[in-house]
Amino acid sequence: MIKIAEALGPTRSPLWTIVKQCGVNHVVGAMDLSSLPGGFYGDTGKSEFLPPQGEDAPWSFMSLLRIKTAYESAGFDFDVLESRPPLNRAKLGLPGRDKEIETVCELLRNMGKLGIGVWCYEWMAMFNWMRTTTTAPSRGGALVTGYDHALMADAPLTEAGEVTEEQLWDNLKYFLEKVVPVAEEAGVKLAMHPDDPPRSPIRGVGRIMRSIENYQRLIDLVPSPVNGITLCQGNFT
């Protein structure tokens, strides 16, 4: 069964009301990550890894409970979470990755306890989605984001330098071997988000979740009913 849902942030806003007025009753929710220190996602291992602990962590039971009750009090079914703890060290295979992976395991256990059945994650190292413009004209004079790969041909490398696709595959296998058993026990499905945009490399960093063949490779890395995919649509050049 296909369920129509809207991605909404964890803080109530006018969009919540508009979505309900449109008849949408399901939400793809997000954790409140505002407590994370600056640079957390781009860190390549040079600084101390100090993730939030206990109930202060966005992935703690109490933090997720507050978000769940907020969505449900607004009339939404909260079945999918599309935000994640920092994972840059895990993606790059750097020291400290096991601590990052343990935060994911904690998240999955707490999602299972709260009945949040799907975790949408991604494997884009150093930066998440990438755009070359946020002012591309569209229908009716609306402005939208866009990506032109040719404009990135001479872009500088990130501080991680060259990151090959095989490095990312090796690190993803290591990640899944630790996380999939926890997801199975918690009853939570993993849904890998496509790379955004699906071009490789960008600034020297490989991108691997960008083809049907690569998605099959993902599924075959650690076969399990919980090792799944996210379906998305986008237009890039």
Side-chain angles (χ1 to χ4, degrees):
M1 177 186 297
I2 296 176
K3 298 179 181 179
I4 299 176
E6 177 61 62
L8 296 176
T11 304
R12 188 184 289 258
S13 70
L15 181 59
W16 287 34
T17 302
I18 294 172
V19 167
K20 284 299 295 181
Q21 290 173 341
C22 292
V24 176
N25 298 314
H26 301 276
V27 62
V28 176
M31 294 184 289
D32 182 1
L33 301 176
S34 60
S35 64
L36 297 185
F40 221 69
Y41 283 90
D43 175 59
T44 57
K46 297 178 182 178
S47 59
E48 185 72 14
F49 180 81
L50 295 172
Q53 301 292 324
E55 294 184 10
D56 293 332
W59 43 86
S60 72
F61 179 91
M62 294 306 299
S63 294
L64 291 173
L65 176 62
R66 286 190 289 270
I67 295 169
K68 177 181 171 69
T69 55
Y71 287 132
E72 292 181 348
S73 67
F76 294 107
D77 291 329
F78 176 31
D79 299 322
V80 181
L81 178 70
E82 188 181 355
S83 60
R84 71 264 332 155
L87 280 173
N88 207 47
R89 293 175 184 238
K91 295 169 187 176
L92 295 173
L94 296 173
R97 66 176 174 176
D98 287 328
K99 290 184 179 180
E100 288 188 338
I101 293 172
E102 181 51 41
T103 63
V104 170
C105 293
E106 179 183 351
L107 168 66
L108 294 172
R109 294 184 187 105
N110 290 329
M111 287 178 62
K113 293 173 184 176
L114 291 167
I116 306 167
V118 179
W119 180 49
C120 177
Y121 71 114
E122 43 75 23
W123 208 250
M124 293 175 272
M126 293 306 295
F127 46 86
N128 198 299
W129 63 276
M130 168 67 71
R131 298 291 186 270
T132 54
T133 181
T134 57
T135 56
S138 186
R139 291 183 298 175
L143 299 179
V144 299
T145 65
Y147 179 81
D148 185 343
H149 197 54
L151 295 177
M152 297 297 291
D154 296 319
L157 298 178
T158 71
E159 59 181 308
E162 299 280 355
V163 180
T164 69
E165 293 186 15
E166 286 307 311
Q167 286 177 273
L168 294 173
W169 281 115
D170 289 344
N171 297 331
L172 177 57
K173 187 174 190 296
Y174 182 89
F175 172 81
L176 289 175
E177 287 176 340
K178 291 183 176 295
V179 167
V180 165
V182 176
E184 289 175 338
E185 184 176 353
V188 176
K189 295 179 180 178
L190 308 177
M192 173 69 85
H193 194 287
D195 290 342
D196 188 3
R199 303 299 300 267
S200 179
I202 299 176
R203 297 188 62 189
V205 180
R207 314 275 271 193
I208 58 175
M209 300 319 308
R210 55 188 176 82
S211 70
I212 294 173
E213 295 76 17
N214 284 11
Y215 262 109
Q216 186 62 56
R217 182 173 175 179
L218 160 73
I219 293 170
D220 293 339
L221 276 181
V222 181
S224 169
V226 307
N227 183 17
I229 66 176
T230 299
L231 298 179
C232 291
Q233 176 178 326
N235 296 312
F236 309 99
T237 59

